[in-house]
Amino acid sequence: MKVYYDSQPEKILYQPLPDGTANVYLRKNIAQAERSTFNQDKEEKQTVWTADEKNIQTALSKDDVEANFDQLFLTADFPSPTLEERVAVLESAIAEVTSNG
């Protein structure tokens, strides 16, 4: 998702949570840009920072997030499988193993 900031954002914003996980914002393509707004038929230009941003919640440490930044950014949009989906995959694998003996 493209986001806008008034000041230059950090590549990684790591926010530890009380349960031991962290809310993490991953940002790529950080660049300065000019944004136009119109106020009473008058165009006003403002310098802003833009970035492609993804958000994840993880149990990884900040160092692990930094070390795996590219992979995390690529997979951030993929939802984690539900417990039911994980069990279904395991049941399917067990059924295949037992039927092929």
Side-chain angles (χ1 to χ4, degrees):
M1 167 190 334
K2 181 71 76 179
V3 293
Y4 298 88
Y5 292 95
D6 291 331
S7 59
Q8 184 175 4
E10 298 176 27
K11 182 177 177 179
I12 298 170
L13 175 59
Y14 188 89
Q15 300 174 319
L17 299 171
D19 66 359
T21 63
N23 193 27
V24 179
Y25 294 87
L26 306 167
R27 301 179 183 115
K28 270 189 169 185
N29 304 318
I30 299 170
Q32 211 169 17
E34 199 168 83
R35 188 175 188 180
S36 294
T37 56
F38 293 90
N39 187 9
Q40 298 178 358
D41 297 329
K42 192 189 244 185
E43 182 179 12
E44 296 176 1
K45 296 191 183 240
Q46 177 184 15
T47 301
V48 295
W49 288 88
T50 64
D52 296 324
E53 181 177 276
K54 296 188 180 180
N55 175 254
I56 60 170
Q57 188 168 345
T58 183
L60 295 174
S61 70
K62 186 174 183 178
D63 290 339
D64 289 338
V65 169
E66 290 172 357
N68 296 296
F69 178 87
D70 290 328
Q71 180 180 359
L72 292 169
F73 193 88
L74 286 174
T75 59
D77 295 331
F78 300 123
S80 297
T82 65
L83 178 59
E84 291 80 13
E85 292 168 333
R86 292 170 45 202
V87 169
V89 168
L90 289 172
E91 288 175 341
S92 176
I94 290 170
E96 186 175 326
V97 167
T98 57
S99 69
N100 290 334

